[in-house]
Amino acid sequence: EAGVVQSPRYKIIEKKQPVAFWCNPISGHNTLYWYLQNLGQGPELLIRYENEEAVDDSQLPKDRFSAERLKGVDSTLKIQPAELGDSAVYLCASSPPGKGETQYFGPGTRLLVL
Amino acid sequence: QKEVEQNSGPLSVPEGAIASLNCTYSDRGSQSFFWYRQYSGKSPELIMFIYSNGDKEDGRFTAQLNKASQYVSLLIRDSQPSDSATYLCAVMGGGSNYKLTFGKGTLLTVNP
């Protein structure tokens, strides 16, 4: 079974530029999560989707961050414009229906904003 | 603000010893408790989770939960160099919230 797929794995951009991350969850997993992990910290939830609905986006900085999961499968997280402090690892995770306690993480996208 | 506290370490143990990792949490409403392992440059990997007070064993790993003291621990028996990683404690509220709140992690080094 393929795991959670994320791309790109690495991204370097200059501040004020836009950037987008893509995630494809494990097949059959209807719940998708985007987490942010700063160096030396644990992951922090940005947004959670149940199918195509964002059910928890309370931690998403909506002035510059947006996300979508139009067909309830893959998802895109966007930052526009990026700031220096956005440099971090962006992790996507998914879980099967009714089993949110079992979250499988993708490899992450490491973002560096210069 | 819900908090999960862990000693950042590093915790260093010799090969074959028992490694003991500790975690405390602030939200008494937390229902589920998780231990993730994260190798350097990799993503977190779920080791085990526990719901009820007491011990839960899975191979060389034992999770211990004391809700009254708001304390979770992970014991790793017969530690191996391959266990060297950061161990993240996480908690989840009840119902279908499914939001994990992570601690900062404890770096474990197992010396051959």
Side-chain angles (χ1 to χ4, degrees), chain A residues 37 41-43 48 98 101 103 106, chain B residues 34 38 43 51 97-98 102-103:
Chain A
Q37 186 173 24
Q41 305 291 316
R48 173 169 71 96
E101 68 276 7
Q103 297 183 21
Chain B
F34 304 81
Q38 188 171 28
S43 58
Y51 301 123
N97 185 316
Y98 297 154
F102 284 86

Side-chain angles (χ1 to χ4, degrees), chain B residues 2-69:
Chain B
K2 301 176 182 179
E3 294 184 347
V4 178
E5 300 289 339
Q6 294 182 255
N7 187 325
S8 61
L11 173 65
S12 183
V13 300
E15 183 174 357
I18 296 175
S20 177
L21 303 157
N22 305 314
C23 171
T24 58
Y25 59 95
S26 63
D27 183 11
R28 286 195 171 274
S30 300
Q31 296 292 317
S32 309
F33 308 86
F34 304 81
W35 284 100
Y36 282 80
R37 176 175 62 199
Q38 188 171 28
Y39 292 113
S40 180
K42 302 296 185 181
S43 58
E45 173 192 9
L46 180 64
I47 298 174
M48 61 191 307
F49 55 87
I50 186 168
Y51 301 123
S52 304
N53 278 327
D55 296 0
K56 180 180 179 182
E57 187 174 317
D58 184 359
R60 296 186 297 112
F61 299 95
T62 298
Q64 299 176 318
L65 173 62
N66 183 326
K67 288 186 177 181
S69 299

Side-chain angles (χ1 to χ4, degrees), chain A residues 9 31 33 35 37 40-45 48 50 56 58-59 91 98-103 105-108 110, chain B residues 1 8 32 34 36 38 40-46 49 51 86 88 92 96-105:
Chain A
R9 293 294 311 278
T31 308
Y33 314 77
Y35 287 89
Q37 186 173 24
Q41 305 291 316
E44 300 172 35
L45 181 69
R48 173 169 71 96
E50 295 285 347
D56 184 357
S58 58
Q59 301 293 99
L91 294 162
K99 292 192 177 294
E101 68 276 7
T102 311
Q103 297 183 21
F105 284 82
R110 190 174 299 271
Chain B
Q1 179 74 11
S8 61
S32 309
F34 304 81
Y36 282 80
Q38 188 171 28
S40 180
K42 302 296 185 181
S43 58
E45 173 192 9
L46 180 64
F49 55 87
Y51 301 123
T86 294
L88 297 163
M92 184 181 287
S96 59
N97 185 316
Y98 297 154
K99 177 180 178 179
L100 284 170
T101 300
F102 284 86
K104 293 182 179 181

